[in-house]
Amino acid sequence: MEKATTKRSADPAACELLTRCSEEKLVLSWDRYEAQQPSCGFGAQGICCRLCAMGPCRIGKKAQAGVCGATADTIAARNFARMIAAGTAAHSDHGRSVAEVFLLTAEGKIPGYEIKDEQKLYQLALDLEIEIGKKPVKEIALEVGKKLLAEFGRQEGELRFIKRAPLKRQEIWRKLGITPRGIDREVVEIMHRTNMGVDQDIDNLMLQGSRCALADGWGGSMIATELQDVMFGTPVPRTSAANLGVLREDEVNIVIHGHEPLLSEMIVAASRSQEMRELARKVGARGINLTGICCTANEMLMRHGIPIAGNFLHQELAIVTGAVEAMIVDVQCIMQGLAELSQCFHTKLITTSSKAKITGALHLEFDEHDALKTARKIVQTAVENFPNRRKARVCIPDKTCGMVVGFSHETINYLLGGMFRASYKPLNDNIINGRIRGIAGVVGCNNPRVEQDSAHLAMVRELIKNDVIVLSTGCGALACGKAGLLTPESAREFAGPGLAEICETVGIPPVLHMGSCVDNSRILMAATAVVKQGGLGDDISDLPAAGAAPEWMSEKAISIGQYFVASGVFTVFGVTFPITGSQGMKDLLFERMEKSLGGKWAFEPDPIKAAQIMIEHIDKNPGNGCFTT
Ligand code: SF4
Ligand code: MSK
């Protein structure tokens, strides 16, 4: 098979290893993607349905409706709503796991975890209307944990974090009847409504789609972020390094891949223990080198400065270096192809979650009740695998890039306003005086349909060149890190004069790394803080702001996109868009939705054009230029 490696990735480290794969006939996601071509156009456009055994049905010239009479519009809307439900379920089940461990920590029932950020706990308690008084920290934590865990199974009323949104936004949701009740309830209701023969009105389906997505952004994801910060520490800016060059020839390399820091935090602790370091020396290694892929990488990066090996499409490439003793995975975004690929090297693929096993992988189940013990066992397995490494097979690209990461919305507050006058005022003022043209959230995955990282980088460069400050999470943030855009110095090279001046004065990069996928809730909080600061309107939809996921692939991205839109953000996706076979859904998502929600979707695979329509939207909104004196 002809492998055009240069078209596969914009990352030179990836290209180097892709050449090796081509020579050794190793099969990676890009090859499997090619083997799938031509991919199903009905699926890509969202107009195939297999909800019942009268089907599967697909809409085309031959048939304008499914056996039951379902139209392209209904089929596309049901599929889209189910993607939102799946994404919400993934983020929220992550949040639930965190809440459960948080509660056990507060009850003093599990060793290894602690309350690290008491200030954030107090703030959470205030938001949840819990009286602080002279209560001990553990008692407050117990009440916080119970209240937040109950949000998943809540049957009526409103999710508690909804009250964090701007008042006008809350009213919009109430008027439309889409304020989420309980997180699980909204997911279940989508699964019911999209059953054969239930909800067949696209507007009604998408109202529930919005409600469910809001239960993700202002519910499950936000709970995950907040409680992780309390338990593991709220991120603060720190320096680190990115790309496969962070793997070391003379050390035991452990790559953690997945999403939940419940596991990675314990692996960090275990790998730093005297016992494990001595064991490493015994097997002939100089030490233990921990690094990450995808959102686990983001979690370890922003709390410990642990270097990252790469983003989504780097997961297989890390194994191809021949230098990885163990890849430890938990949940989400883990390719099944890793199991077969790891057989070609000495790498042990270790699954750790009862929810996510992979045939061919070694399963060492992570037990939160004795977290450090299981983490030690996992690290030990990796260390003991070091002597099996074949030196001749090792090929670590000599590519790394420095970066500054860890911009929580609290940090932005402090950085801009100072410790004693923490405030978003300087940001608002600089938007109002025109130095900063607007704010963009650029997030999401890699996708082998797109040259790896190229769309992220082109879009982000176009935005910052036009003085738009970028907030980034997930694999998009890691793409920026690998390309040097997460350094303050990059502002001088890539940012427009206004943004460059701010970056230089404050000492921040033009692209702010805000964490993992669940941390998109930080972007919601930052946007809300800008609204509450005043001067730029009284709702998120008034802000000169836009969102994008130029290389998305996961259902989680659709959920994130929908909660951005339902929160009032204009949001542009690239790659393909799974409703384009339905004129009704295109009208609703790309146009009509804005009337009710203040935000809408756009689909534009060209990243430069996408950046330009984001800037057009930013320029239409108040704040930019209107208040220039
Ligand atoms: Fe076909 Fe309708 Fe069944 Fe879907 S629900 S598979 S469109 S008959
Ligand atoms: S890991 S969801 S590939 S951003 Fe959160 Fe990356 Fe997308 Fe997974």
Side-chain angles (χ1 to χ4, degrees):
M1 192 186 300
E2 184 58 38
K3 296 174 180 178
T5 52
T6 47
K7 294 256 166 61
R8 292 183 167 190
S9 179
D11 180 330
C15 293
E16 192 177 323
L17 288 173
L18 284 166
T19 306
R20 172 185 204 174
C21 294
S22 181
E23 286 161 7
E24 296 190 16
K25 301 207 177 328
L26 296 169
V27 175
L28 268 62
S29 57
W30 288 274
D31 306 294
R32 295 188 292 268
Y33 166 71
E34 278 173 20
Q36 287 288 337
Q37 300 312 303
S39 59
C40 172
F42 297 98
Q45 296 179 81
I47 46 172
C48 64
C49 180
R50 52 175 188 79
L51 288 184
C52 85
M54 292 189 285
C57 303
R58 55 190 197 181
I59 305 302
K61 279 195 188 121
K62 252 172 66 185
Q64 296 293 306
V67 177
C68 65
T71 60
D73 291 350
T74 301
I75 291 171
R78 287 195 303 217
N79 290 338
F80 197 75
R82 282 193 168 208
M83 292 180 89
I84 294 171
T88 301
H91 288 143
S92 301
D93 212 31
H94 168 167
R96 185 199 324 270
S97 300
V98 176
E100 283 170 346
V101 169
F102 182 85
L103 199 52
L104 289 169
T105 305
E107 287 167 349
K109 287 187 181 159
I110 48 172
Y113 298 98
E114 57 183 314
I115 305 296
K116 270 204 181 133
D117 189 341
E118 291 184 10
Q119 283 312 316
K120 185 139 186 174
L121 176 69
Y122 294 142
Q123 185 55 53
L124 260 181
L126 288 175
D127 288 355
L128 296 171
E129 292 162 358
I130 292 168
E131 207 190 301
I132 296 175
K134 289 192 176 151
K135 284 181 197 160
V137 172
K138 287 233 159 146
E139 198 180 318
I140 298 167
L142 202 63
E143 286 183 48
V144 166
K146 279 184 184 161
K147 280 204 166 176
L148 290 181
L149 191 57
E151 294 293 85
F152 294 90
R154 179 193 269 274
Q155 296 304 321
E156 53 197 26
E158 298 181 351
L159 287 183
R160 291 171 191 274
F161 283 155
I162 291 301
K163 290 212 171 67
R164 289 177 156 190
L167 287 174
K168 189 172 165 192
R169 183 63 14 203
Q170 294 180 40
E171 285 315 311
I172 290 170
W173 293 334
R174 285 187 194 114
K175 209 169 127 209
L176 291 168
I178 59 168
T179 310
R181 295 154 293 185
I183 298 161
D184 295 352
R185 178 165 189 174
E186 306 311 347
V187 174
V188 168
E189 189 165 317
I190 283 197
M191 296 313 284
H192 174 201
R193 285 204 204 185
T194 55
N195 240 247
M196 190 269 149
V198 189
D199 198 354
Q200 286 151 105
D201 176 279
I202 63 169
D203 286 73
N204 207 39
L205 274 163
M206 281 311 299
L207 282 173
Q208 180 58 19
S210 293
R211 195 180 212 178
C212 182
L214 291 170
D216 177 354
W218 297 88
S221 282
M222 197 171 275
I223 290 172
T225 295
E226 298 294 87
L227 294 182
Q228 285 169 185
D229 280 358
V230 175
M231 273 196 291
F232 307 127
T234 303
V236 292
R238 57 181 87 235
T239 56
S240 190
N243 219 338
L244 292 160
V246 304
L247 295 171
R248 304 219 176 109
E249 286 212 7
D250 51 359
E251 297 192 22
V252 174
N253 289 307
I254 299 178
V255 178
I256 314 187
H257 171 25
H259 278 78
E260 295 181 356
L262 296 175
L263 166 72
S264 55
E265 285 287 324
M266 292 301 117
I267 302 278
V268 172
S271 66
R272 286 176 177 170
S273 73
Q274 184 71 9
E275 181 196 357
M276 288 300 138
R277 282 187 295 160
E278 270 170 24
L279 186 66
R281 277 194 289 273
K282 252 190 224 158
V283 298
R286 276 192 51 183
I288 300 172
N289 180 38
L290 205 58
T291 176
I293 293 275
C294 279
C295 281
T296 295
N298 281 314
E299 301 283 2
M300 297 194 299
L301 175 66
M302 63 185 173
R303 294 206 178 84
H304 301 282
I306 288 175
I308 62 137
N311 47 3
F312 181 65
L313 283 178
H314 265 36
Q315 58 185 286
E316 291 177 299
L317 295 171
I319 291 181
V320 173
T321 62
V324 174
E325 274 56 57
M327 182 172 279
I328 300 161
V329 303
D330 57 6
V331 291
Q332 301 170 23
C333 303
I334 296 143
M335 290 192 191
Q336 189 170 354
L338 292 173
E340 196 179 326
L341 187 65
S342 61
Q343 308 290 318
C344 306
F345 295 87
H346 76 300
T347 307
K348 280 194 193 299
L349 178 67
I350 304 177
T351 52
T352 58
S353 167
S354 60
K355 293 173 195 164
K357 296 187 179 180
I358 302 175
T359 308
L362 171 67
H363 187 73
L364 295 176
E365 194 147 318
F366 183 67
D367 175 10
E368 290 88 0
H369 293 89
D370 207 350
L372 261 174
K373 188 174 161 206
T374 41
R376 266 199 297 271
K377 189 167 176 217
I378 292 166
V379 173
Q380 184 181 345
T381 307
V383 173
E384 288 171 352
N385 195 28
F386 183 75
N388 296 325
R389 190 194 288 182
R390 284 191 281 158
K391 275 200 177 136
R393 294 279 281 146
V394 172
C395 172
I396 302 173
D398 185 18
K399 308 256 178 336
T400 57
C401 195
M403 55 187 177
V404 181
V405 299
F407 293 89
S408 56
H409 80 91
E410 291 92 339
T411 305
I412 298 174
N413 206 13
Y414 293 135
L415 269 180
L416 295 171
M419 184 62 87
F420 299 107
R421 274 183 302 159
S423 150
Y424 272 69
K425 192 168 185 300
L427 176 62
N428 285 32
D429 285 350
N430 281 307
I431 295 173
I432 291 165
N433 69 28
R435 277 196 194 89
I436 294 179
R437 193 164 176 176
I439 307 167
V442 182
V443 308
C445 325
N446 289 142
N447 186 322
R449 286 179 182 273
V450 180
E451 183 183 3
Q452 184 193 13
D453 298 348
S454 65
H456 281 293
L457 300 180
M459 173 181 280
V460 165
R461 285 189 184 125
E462 182 69 15
L463 289 166
I464 61 176
K465 185 177 91 185
N466 283 285
D467 292 317
V468 175
I469 191 166
V470 172
L471 312 180
S472 193
T473 63
C475 291
L478 300 179
C480 292
K482 290 187 291 167
L485 291 169
L486 300 185
T487 60
E489 303 76 50
S490 66
R492 222 173 304 137
E493 191 178 343
F494 296 107
L499 178 58
E501 189 188 331
I502 307 296
C503 291
E504 197 171 334
T505 312
V506 187
I508 55 171
V511 183
L512 301 182
H513 172 283
M514 294 190 81
S516 65
C517 294
V518 292
D519 293 335
N520 283 308
S521 60
R522 296 190 201 276
I523 298 182
L524 295 178
M525 290 300 289
T528 301
V530 172
V531 171
K532 288 185 178 168
Q533 185 58 52
L536 290 169
D538 49 10
D539 180 37
I540 295 173
S541 64
D542 296 332
L543 300 179
E551 298 182 33
W552 77 279
M553 65 84 203
S554 170
E555 290 168 314
K556 293 181 288 171
I558 293 291
S559 178
I560 293 166
Q562 187 60 44
Y563 73 63
F564 268 40
V565 168
S567 299
V569 182
F570 174 62
T571 302
V572 189
F573 269 38
V575 196
T576 57
F577 201 65
I579 51 94
T580 48
S582 153
Q583 191 55 48
M585 277 295 277
K586 283 198 281 188
D587 291 345
L588 175 59
L589 265 54
F590 300 157
E591 295 299 335
R592 288 195 291 117
M593 205 163 249
E594 192 173 32
K595 281 205 183 79
S596 54
L597 287 170
K600 65 177 178 178
W601 289 87
F603 168 52
E604 176 50 69
D606 180 324
I608 301 285
K609 281 190 195 155
Q612 283 161 354
I613 59 175
M614 290 164 79
I615 293 168
E616 254 171 52
H617 175 82
I618 281 168
D619 287 351
K620 269 194 285 185
N621 267 5
N624 198 21
C626 307
F627 301 95
T628 310
T629 49

